[in-house]
Amino acid sequence: MAPRSWPGVIEHYKRLLPVGDDTPRITLLEGNTPLIPSEHCHRRLGEGVRLFFKYEGVNPTCSFKDRGMTMAVSKAVEEGAQCTICASTGNTSAAAAAYSARAGIRSVVLIPDGYVALGKLAQALAYGARTIAVDGDFDDCLTLVREISDDYPVALVNSLNPYRIQGQKTAAFEVCDVLGGPPEFHALPVGNAGNITSYWLGYCEYKEQGVTDRLPHMLGFQAAGAAPIVTGERVDKPETIATAIRIGNPARWQEASAALAESDGRIEAVTDDEIVQAYRELSGEEGIFCEPASAASYAGLKKLAAEGFFAGRRCTVVATLTGHGLKDPDRAVATAPEPEKAPNDIDAVVGMLGLG
Ligand SMILES: *Cc1c(COP(=O)(O)O)cnc(C)c1O
């Protein structure tokens, strides 16, 4: 008998996705990512908080974008596309390039010059995307690809693509499948706000289907230098070290606002210092290496806890860690102490370690 392995999110959740038997499955077996219980960091949130990390960094291209991209590229191929195009802060382009390669079609990615983390740039190039670094920010890149895909035969696979949301909602299904129901709170970093929109859709659909009987409160966190939804005003020059959420005019702003209102949730800003602190705690204390933007979810939970938000509550909280730490090796090295140097000598090393 053939071993039964995970078939990827489309095949596993096909009953709840807009696919038919004839829709090609362009998959790298994404999804089924671990929901890791916190061993240490949960203590900062309060006595009654059960904290889990939905670690999306172990997807095939090392971010949650694979969930949406398997859908977007499969539907593009079903519709006859020969080429995909996207604007990206890095992870969308990595996923678009990988899934397009898998499908045997071409891909074009537009990235903001100088603002894409090294690992993500390496991925787009390795997967063979036509990679164009634009002298502008993400929002400028998005404007360009929107206009190009309107006028030319290339399939837009940005977060405006409705199939991305459909694919990404499977993460909420997985959380419910593992916990036996939704958590009380679900925390996410927010950039274009596609992911918070997707999780909310997933939680609502599971409830409508009768799989679950309640809904979580959605907690969104933006970087302080790129927090348009928090302030209610678009940001013309967004700035943050968390490049994956360096977005001034989110594509899914309205949907995210609706999710926050309907779930009786919260959206807050966290500073770059708070993000880096959270990022270092996650790797150093939990052994979970995520990228800076991902740590905004846990940084935000710490901020709410400091305001007494969780005081006296018994609740389950899930924080999505959206991407892998190796995506941004420069940031990892820059925020940690330098490696120590030693001569090739046992006494010297033993002495340094205080063992002698
Ligand atoms: C895309 C991305 C985000 C932001 O998700 P949105 O859907 O744009 O809100 C956060 N973290 C990582 C690692 C990402 O790649």
Side-chain angles (χ1 to χ4, degrees):
M1 227 171 70
R4 272 185 54 198
S5 67
W6 175 259
V9 298
I10 296 182
E11 190 55 32
H12 189 80
Y13 290 111
K14 60 187 170 193
R15 284 174 303 104
L16 296 167
L17 291 169
V19 292
D21 290 342
D22 294 340
T23 308
R25 301 325 193 225
I26 310 299
T27 181
L28 290 161
L29 310 187
E30 60 295 313
N32 195 25
T33 55
L35 190 66
I36 306 175
S38 169
E39 282 288 335
H40 302 281
C41 290
H42 68 96
R43 296 202 186 98
R44 295 196 183 84
L45 303 189
E47 287 270 311
V49 176
R50 270 207 317 164
L51 175 63
F52 294 87
F53 300 108
K54 181 67 170 157
Y55 187 36
E56 292 287 277
V58 295
N59 274 298
T61 79
C62 308
S63 87
F64 76 87
K65 298 296 198 299
D66 292 344
R67 294 178 185 276
M69 205 53 76
T70 184
M71 273 297 296
V73 174
S74 294
K75 293 302 279 189
V77 169
E78 184 176 28
E79 288 156 18
Q82 294 296 318
C83 182
T84 63
I85 191 167
C86 69
S88 179
T89 59
N91 284 333
T92 295
S93 56
Y99 283 83
S100 299
R102 186 82 178 171
I105 63 176
R106 286 175 294 124
S107 62
V108 176
V109 304
L110 270 63
I111 54 177
D113 194 10
Y115 282 97
V116 168
L118 187 63
K120 306 176 189 183
L121 179 61
Q123 287 179 295
L125 298 171
Y127 296 129
R130 185 85 186 264
T131 304
I132 302 176
V134 174
D135 180 18
D137 64 16
F138 169 83
D139 300 290
D140 299 322
C141 293
L142 184 61
T143 304
L144 285 171
V145 298
R146 269 172 128 147
E147 287 175 13
I148 293 167
S149 64
D150 278 347
D151 294 345
Y152 301 93
V154 288
L156 184 68
V157 293
N158 263 106
S159 41
L160 298 161
N161 179 313
Y163 298 118
R164 293 270 309 279
I165 302 285
Q166 290 293 323
Q168 286 171 201
K169 76 184 180 188
T170 59
F173 297 162
E174 289 178 15
V175 170
C176 296
D177 290 348
V178 169
L179 291 179
E184 272 74 35
F185 298 96
H186 194 120
L188 289 157
V190 174
N192 257 313
N195 213 24
I196 195 166
T197 300
S198 306
Y199 271 90
W200 181 239
L201 180 65
Y203 283 124
C204 289
E205 286 188 1
Y206 250 24
K207 180 155 180 280
E208 281 157 26
Q209 299 281 325
V211 182
T212 56
D213 58 8
R214 43 192 187 83
L215 293 165
H217 302 284
M218 303 303 294
L219 304 175
F221 300 103
Q222 299 199 290
I229 304 180
V230 177
T231 61
E233 266 169 61
R234 65 178 274 182
V235 178
D236 284 332
K237 296 249 176 300
E239 272 307 338
T240 169
I241 56 118
T243 50
I245 53 173
R246 183 175 169 267
I247 287 166
N249 186 21
R252 298 283 177 185
W253 190 330
Q254 282 190 348
E255 293 92 328
S257 300
L260 289 162
E262 289 165 22
S263 76
D264 188 20
R266 290 269 294 264
I267 186 147
E268 299 284 340
V270 285
T271 66
D272 279 6
D273 285 348
E274 290 168 331
I275 289 172
V276 168
Q277 178 67 27
Y279 164 73
R280 299 209 58 211
E281 287 171 8
L282 287 167
S283 51
E285 297 180 15
E286 299 281 9
I288 306 176
F289 188 25
C290 64
E291 65 175 281
S294 309
S297 57
Y298 166 59
L301 290 172
K302 285 173 63 184
K303 183 176 168 169
L304 291 185
E307 294 168 4
F309 185 80
F310 296 110
R313 283 198 220 232
R314 297 203 72 76
C315 58
T316 299
V317 179
V318 173
T320 297
L321 302 179
T322 44
H324 201 290
L326 288 173
K327 291 273 193 179
D328 194 348
D330 295 316
R331 186 61 58 186
V333 171
T335 55
E338 278 184 41
E340 300 166 64
K341 302 234 193 271
N344 180 9
D345 175 73
I346 188 160
D347 293 332
V349 175
V350 166
M352 276 170 72
L353 298 176
L355 298 171

